[in-house]
Amino acid sequence: MKKQYVFLSHDVDWNFGGPSKDHILKRKDRFDEIVLKNTPINKLYRNFSEYMEIEEKYGVKSTFFFRTQYENGKYTDYEDDIKILKKGGWEIGLHTDPSSINDINKIGEEKRNIEKIIGSKIYGNRVHYLSNDKEFLKKLYELDFIYDSSFRKTKDSITSDEMGYQKINGIIEFPVTLMDAYLFTHMQISEDKIIETIDKTLKYCRQLNLEFNIISILWHDNVLKMKGGRMYGKILEFLSSQEDIEMVNGIQLASKIIKTNN
Ligand SMILES: [Zn+2]
C-alpha cells in the first residue's frame, strides 16, 4: 500500500496576549458561549498545550511557525512556549514577515532570532499571508533553509497543484493543501462537512500516485477554541484511522525526500 503523507503545521499569527478584548467581543459568535465564559480572554487565541495534547494522542509532533514581528507585542514573549515545544520534540520554523521576503538580510535576521531561542538551527519556513515567489526560495536556500511551505495558487479550490512537493531553487516546496481559514471562509465549508472534505482530498491525492503523495494541513494556532477550528482533534482522529497515512512535520518529511533522492 502506497503511503500518503500528511504534513501538519500551525502558524502563530497573533502576539502572545492575542487581540484586544474589543476585537474578540466584536467576533464573539466565533466561540461557544461556554468557552468564552470559561477562558481568560488573553488565552482564547493561544493553544500550544492543547495542540500538544491532541497530537501526542495520535503520535505526531507537528511544526509551529513563529513570527519575529508581531503587531502588538514582542516575539520574545513566546520564548518559554517555543522552548517547551522544541524540548518536547515539536519542530519550530520561521513565519517570515511579508516585508522581509525581498531582503536576504532581513530574512537572515528573523531566522537567527528564532535560532537564538531554541539554541539550534531551523530548516523550515512559511511566509505570513503565503507567497508564490520563486526568487524568495533562492534566498532561503542561501540561508541554509531546507524547505518552505508558502505556495498556494488559489484561495477557493483544492487541486493537484497544492499536493506533493516541488524542488525549486534548491528548496523543497510543500504547497498548502488545506488551511482552516480558506476552508471556512473562501470555500464556505461548514464544520460538519470538514471530515468529508478531507476524505475527498485524500482520495484525490491517492489517485495522483506521485513519487511522494503529500497533503499539507495548516491549522492556525489561534483557531483551536473557535467553531470550525475546534475540529482539529476530529481531523487527527480521522487521519489516524486511515491505514495508509503517516502524519509528519515538515523536517521529517523533507528528510524522507532527501533520503529517497540520494
Ligand atoms: Zn500567518
Side-chain angles (χ1 to χ4, degrees), residues 139-154:
K139 298 184 187 74
L140 289 184
Y141 179 67
E142 283 174 42
L143 290 165
D144 288 336
F145 279 96
I146 291 175
Y147 76 92
D148 176 74
S149 180
S150 307
F151 279 37
R152 203 175 205 293
K153 285 204 171 149
T154 68

Side-chain angles (χ1 to χ4, degrees), residues 36-50:
L36 266 184
K37 213 178 122 201
N38 293 335
T39 316
I41 205 135
N42 69 354
K43 185 71 179 68
L44 274 172
Y45 276 48
R46 206 166 359 109
N47 296 294
F48 302 118
S49 55
E50 291 88 340

Side-chain angles (χ1 to χ4, degrees), residues 11-13 67 95-96 126-130 218 220:
D11 296 355
V12 184
D13 278 2
R67 302 172 66 191
H95 198 31
T96 332
R126 175 175 292 133
V127 178
H128 184 46
Y129 297 129
L130 308 184
L218 155 52
H220 284 83

